[in-house]
């Protein structure tokens, strides 16, 4: 038993002993209940597993994203996107079939701090069987192309059985919820079930108001980001790589919410919280300038002219983008992208993960 759990158990045992010792020397009270009455007393109620997986995201998450798998799979473009995932990543067809067949919703969460590796949580909501924890671990292991299979071990964290494989851990909380991720952060997530007073991301999300502006919670994909440390550096570097260094510098530390709606065509919405109304106006200008440049290159590359439909505006300290793409234009873009992908070498994926034996 890990030290943390031993301490918890010791505290509980000490409380019971103190309670018993405290009765010595006290005037007799009512007669003790009979053994039959004691045996019939209900056991303490276990805290239920939350119906909403977001309730299991710890408060220190800097990135939280949800994917409506059912809505995504119903999109007309999903077969195309699925084909790209199979051809240009290490996701296999049977993995995607399992993931989309068993899962209705996926929640991703991440946290990053300076000089520390990024911690990741993946919560799968749907319908799962006894072997799905191992399958989910295999799927994650297959994406780490340079890693070797790690021995697996099992432990208890509270009432939940946790499977560890190197730095990754996984647990099945009930038939509707699987959780995977960095072992130390997964344990913190499980503690949110047993200890209601622990802070959770849902209680104080700094990006909630931004998400509500773009109705993020009801979209196919909803991401909320509170950039800090390495995350902010990645945002700035990625925007710089696509020709928008000034924009990257301005928004790298800006809380933002991003939504993708795939019900008909594709619609992107973004809301960013800037430091002042003047900075929000500046970001709107930078975004419009960048979209114009991208539009010129897209036209030369044979893509349909869709960027004119993008609307960027500022309201007080918030900058917003709304960018709809109709289904016909989306299919034209997909055909052009498919032609560009044909010349790419397939990824060097390792053989499918086989469950390693137990740790010695």
């Amino acid at each position: 038993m890990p030290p943390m759990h031993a301490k918890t158990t010791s505290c509980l045992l000490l409380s019971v002993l103190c309670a018993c010792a405290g009765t010595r020397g006290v005037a007799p009270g009512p007669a003790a209940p009979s053994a039959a009455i004691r045996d019939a007393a209900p056991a303490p109620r276990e805290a239920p597993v939350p119906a909403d997986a977001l309730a299991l995201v710890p408060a220190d998450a800097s990135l939280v994203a949800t994917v409506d798998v059912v809505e995504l799979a119903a999109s007309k473009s999903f077969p195309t996107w699925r084909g790209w995932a199979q051809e240009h990543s290490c996701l296999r067809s049977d993995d995607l079939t399992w993931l989309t067949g068993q899962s209705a919703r996926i929640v991703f969460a991440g946290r990053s701090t300076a000089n520390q590796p990024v911690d990741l949580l993946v919560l799968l909501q749907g319908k799962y069987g006894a072997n799905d924890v191992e399958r989910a671990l295999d799927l994650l292991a297959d994406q780490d192309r340079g890693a070797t299979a790690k021995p697996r071990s099992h432990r208890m964290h509270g009432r939940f059985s946790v499977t560890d494989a190197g730095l990754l851990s996984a647990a099945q909380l009930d038939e509707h919820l699987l959780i995977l991720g960095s072992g130390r952060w997964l344990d913190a997530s499980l503690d949110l079930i047993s200890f209601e007073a622990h802070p959770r991301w849902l209680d104080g999300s700094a990006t909630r108001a931004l998400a509500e502006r773009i109705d993020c919670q009801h979209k196919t994909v909803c991401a909320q980001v509170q950039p800090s440390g390495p995350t902010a550096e990645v945002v700035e570097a990625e925007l710089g790589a696509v020709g928008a260094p000034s924009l990257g510098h301005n928004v790298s530390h800006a809380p933002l919410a991003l939504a993708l709606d795939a019900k008909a065509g594709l619609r992107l919405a973004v809301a960013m919280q800037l430091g002042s109304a003047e900075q929000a106006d500046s970001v709107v200008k930078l975004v419009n300038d960048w979209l114009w440049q991208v539009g010129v290159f897209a036209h030369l590359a044979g893509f349909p002219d869709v960027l004119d439909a993008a609307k960027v505006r500022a309201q007080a300290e918030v900058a917003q983008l709304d960018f709809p793409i109709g289904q016909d234009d989306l299919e034209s873009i997909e055909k052009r992208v498919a032609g560009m992908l044909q010349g790419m070498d397939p990824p060097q994926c390792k053989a499918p993960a086989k469950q390693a034996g137990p740790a010695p």
Side-chain angles (χ1 to χ4, degrees):
M1 177 179 293
M4 180 178 68
H5 307 137
K7 181 179 178 182
T8 303
T9 305
S10 301
C11 291
L12 291 174
L13 181 59
L14 183 61
S15 299
V16 173
L17 292 176
C18 289
C20 293
T23 61
R24 297 177 183 176
V26 179
S34 67
I37 294 176
R38 287 198 307 271
D39 293 342
R45 187 177 69 88
E46 292 182 335
V49 174
D52 184 358
L54 284 173
L56 295 180
V57 177
D60 55 350
S62 56
L63 163 67
V64 177
T66 60
V67 180
D68 186 328
V69 179
V70 175
E71 194 169 278
L72 182 66
S75 166
K76 290 184 66 175
S77 291
F78 181 72
T80 299
W81 300 339
R82 175 179 174 139
W84 291 348
Q86 290 176 215
E87 295 170 11
H88 302 284
S89 76
C90 291
L91 285 171
R92 302 189 308 275
S93 177
D94 57 337
D95 288 334
L96 287 167
T97 298
W98 172 77
L99 193 61
T100 57
Q102 304 299 114
S103 304
R105 185 188 191 212
I106 303 176
V107 175
F108 299 91
R111 68 173 179 179
S112 61
T113 53
N115 303 318
Q116 293 291 333
V118 174
D119 285 323
L120 174 70
L121 281 180
V122 182
L123 298 110
L124 306 177
Q125 286 189 285
K127 183 75 172 178
Y128 305 102
N131 298 322
D132 285 334
V133 164
E134 298 287 350
R135 176 149 199 176
L137 272 175
D138 286 344
L139 192 155
L140 274 187
D142 288 346
Q143 308 314 305
D144 190 356
R145 302 173 193 175
T148 56
K150 301 294 191 299
R152 296 187 181 176
S153 59
H154 302 276
R155 60 184 171 87
M156 296 300 296
H157 188 87
R159 72 180 195 261
F160 299 108
S161 174
V162 178
T163 301
D164 294 322
L167 297 177
L168 288 176
S169 300
Q172 181 166 358
L173 307 191
D174 57 24
E175 63 180 0
H176 301 295
L177 187 59
L178 295 181
I179 179 172
L180 306 94
S182 309
R184 55 185 177 174
W185 212 30
L186 181 141
D187 290 350
S189 176
L190 294 179
D191 287 341
L192 293 176
I193 300 175
S194 302
F195 304 100
E196 293 184 2
H198 282 201
R200 59 195 74 218
W201 179 81
L202 268 182
D203 296 335
S205 168
T207 54
R208 181 178 299 170
L210 293 173
E212 291 173 352
R213 278 178 173 266
I214 56 176
D215 196 27
C216 199
Q217 303 91 320
H218 301 108
K219 298 299 190 289
T220 313
V221 178
C222 173
Q224 300 180 55
V225 186
Q226 180 70 51
S228 61
T231 305
E233 294 172 6
V234 169
V235 170
E236 185 167 1
E238 290 297 321
L239 284 171
V242 294
S246 297
L247 180 61
H249 179 74
N250 273 272
V251 306
S252 59
H253 291 83
L256 66 86
L258 178 151
L260 280 173
D261 192 339
K263 296 184 188 72
L266 196 64
R267 191 180 200 105
L268 168 67
V270 181
M272 293 177 287
Q273 178 73 50
L274 284 309
S276 65
E278 292 76 14
Q279 189 180 9
D281 290 335
S282 176
V283 165
V284 166
K285 183 180 184 305
L286 288 169
V287 171
N288 279 321
D289 290 345
W290 179 65
L291 288 175
W292 180 84
Q293 296 175 39
V294 172
V296 172
F297 286 107
H299 179 77
L300 294 174
F303 286 92
D305 294 325
V306 296
L307 291 174
D308 288 344
K311 305 299 180 187
V312 190
R313 62 187 178 91
Q315 185 174 9
E317 299 174 354
V318 176
Q320 284 187 232
L321 165 71
D322 181 44
F323 179 25
I325 305 175
Q327 186 63 41
D328 290 342
D329 284 332
L330 181 59
E331 291 175 4
S332 296
I333 293 171
E334 290 166 351
K335 289 178 182 178
R336 188 72 185 92
V337 170
M340 297 171 65
L341 292 176
Q342 283 180 352
M344 295 180 61
D345 294 330
Q348 299 300 312
C349 300
K350 61 186 180 183
K354 290 184 173 59
Q355 296 175 14

